[in-house]
Amino acid sequence: MDEQEKQQEFQEKIDSGITIEPKDWMPERYRSQLIRMMSQHAHSEVVGMLPEGNWITRAPSLRRKMILLSKVQDEAGHGLYLYSATETLGTTREKVIDDLLEGKAKYSSIFNYPTLTWADVMVIGWLVDGAAIINQTMLARSSYGPYSRAMVRICKEESFHKKQGYEMVATMAQGTPEQQEMVQDAVNRWWWPTMMMFGPHDDDSPNSAELIKWGVKSKTNDELRQSFVDRHVEEAKAVGIEIPDPELEFNEETGHYDFGEIDWDEFWNVVKGNGPMNRERMKAKREAHENGEWVREAAEEYARKQKLSKEKAS
Amino acid sequence: MSNSKESNYDTQWPLWEVFTQPRDGKPHEHAGSLHAPDAEKALENARDVYARRKEAVNIWVVQTEDITASTPEDQGPFFDPANDKPYRYPKFYNPPRAVKKRS
């Protein structure tokens, strides 16, 4: 079979909903795009532990502390599911981690914003995890088997993340005037960065059409963003939170909320590495990697010695 | 990169495949993979990564390089012998009705 026939057969498999598995033939670009996208996703989970981890020691109660610890541990788990799934495409853990630490790979820009108060932790759960669920529910139907299976696992766990955040937002929105002001302030700061999580408009998103053709994605950035707005505006209303968008209005004709334009200059600026926390996050990751080096080496050496003494004994 | 080391290509430990048994009496199923220096650590990591919510009552780990798998190209020829043996299915047979209905 020549390349073109293989391509055609591949596309037919995708179109009839057959899952692509690691050892199946796939176009090189399908492979490289997935490695890029999945490792980026894995990095996001892992870097995402930093802004929330920042508040673990200052959680307002033991209950909230246990919940936050558990959530941050889940994010580590999600990163690991995704790194493993990425490795099935023929790359190695060393390579993808290296790409992150050298700044060659990206992660979600949302984590380049600081968590200034406890209310930020609440709002991240509600908005950021809420946005992630919308994206990940779609990816759970992705054409690449290992990616889709990792997503199914992640989606099951992620719903608790959002719920605990929304529960806290609802509680604080009924609190003292200071508490109400605090949660509203956090929403004001996180709303637009969260809207940016879905990426550029469809017209400016060069990868979208291809990823949709290949069944990696089934919805465009703008479609996903619209579902996010429709759902979260209602949730905001229910608890008396104001969405910081003067142009937000329900459109009777479309049945959706119309909303204002994202500040794309800010979006690209943060993507390019100039967000408030880009440097800090990368520094933390590099330090963690370097400081963990002796642990990795010691564990490997221990394993080697154990194996040797076992061999001697037998 | 201005690292003192030439690169970050240090060890991430060998790759292991994880199989979890969701409940007693159920077969083990592939859950995913992970890195660990040895089998004991691989089991612990598997518990922390793939069974944080009681997803398993038992876990197997096996080093990925020890697994031999058939390839997708094999799909036709490798499984061929099963293709022309319809007599391995009950549908192939036509016993008298009364016997067939016996519960």
Side-chain angles (χ1 to χ4, degrees), chain A residues 179-240:
Chain A
Q179 286 172 328
Q180 289 177 1
E181 201 178 307
M182 190 171 161
V183 63
Q184 184 62 55
D185 166 66
V187 173
N188 293 349
R189 282 182 289 108
W190 287 93
W191 177 258
W192 289 106
T194 309
M195 292 283 279
M196 295 175 196
M197 280 174 73
F198 298 97
H201 279 311
D202 299 343
D203 310 341
D204 299 322
S205 177
N207 293 318
S208 259
E210 193 176 51
L211 292 173
I212 287 175
K213 184 185 98 181
W214 281 334
V216 175
K217 294 176 69 172
S218 50
K219 287 180 184 154
T220 68
N221 294 352
D222 286 330
E223 284 170 343
L224 293 167
R225 189 159 22 235
Q226 185 69 60
S227 345
F228 169 79
V229 171
D230 289 344
R231 188 180 302 183
H232 289 79
V233 168
E234 293 298 334
E235 289 175 358
K237 272 190 190 165
V239 297

Side-chain angles (χ1 to χ4, degrees), chain A residues 234-296:
Chain A
E234 293 298 334
E235 289 175 358
K237 272 190 190 165
V239 297
I241 290 286
E242 207 172 304
I243 298 297
D245 179 358
E247 290 172 56
L248 193 71
E249 205 181 349
F250 189 74
N251 184 327
E252 295 284 351
E253 242 169 74
T254 60
H256 296 288
Y257 279 93
D258 292 336
F259 50 89
E261 194 56 67
I262 285 171
D263 179 351
W264 293 108
D265 289 340
E266 176 182 332
F267 172 82
W268 290 113
N269 198 36
V270 181
V271 168
K272 281 175 187 142
N274 303 318
M277 298 298 278
N278 293 57
R279 277 155 206 268
E280 180 87 19
R281 300 291 184 237
M282 286 315 296
K283 187 168 165 270
K285 281 311 296 169
R286 283 196 198 105
E287 278 173 8
H289 188 77
E290 281 161 23
N291 295 339
E293 190 178 345
W294 72 269
V295 180
R296 293 192 294 277

Side-chain angles (χ1 to χ4, degrees), chain A residues 158-176:
Chain A
E158 200 91 64
S159 57
F160 125 65
H161 296 181
K162 181 186 169 178
K163 241 176 141 178
Q164 60 90 34
Y166 186 50
E167 182 194 84
M168 286 195 284
V169 168
T171 308
M172 214 179 209
Q174 287 164 7
T176 64

Side-chain angles (χ1 to χ4, degrees), chain A residues 298-312:
Chain A
E300 195 160 68
E301 183 60 16
Y302 176 77
R304 193 184 67 84
K305 282 188 178 159
Q306 287 291 101
K307 204 176 159 199
L308 265 181
S309 65
K310 237 189 222 167
E311 279 167 5
K312 254 188 206 161

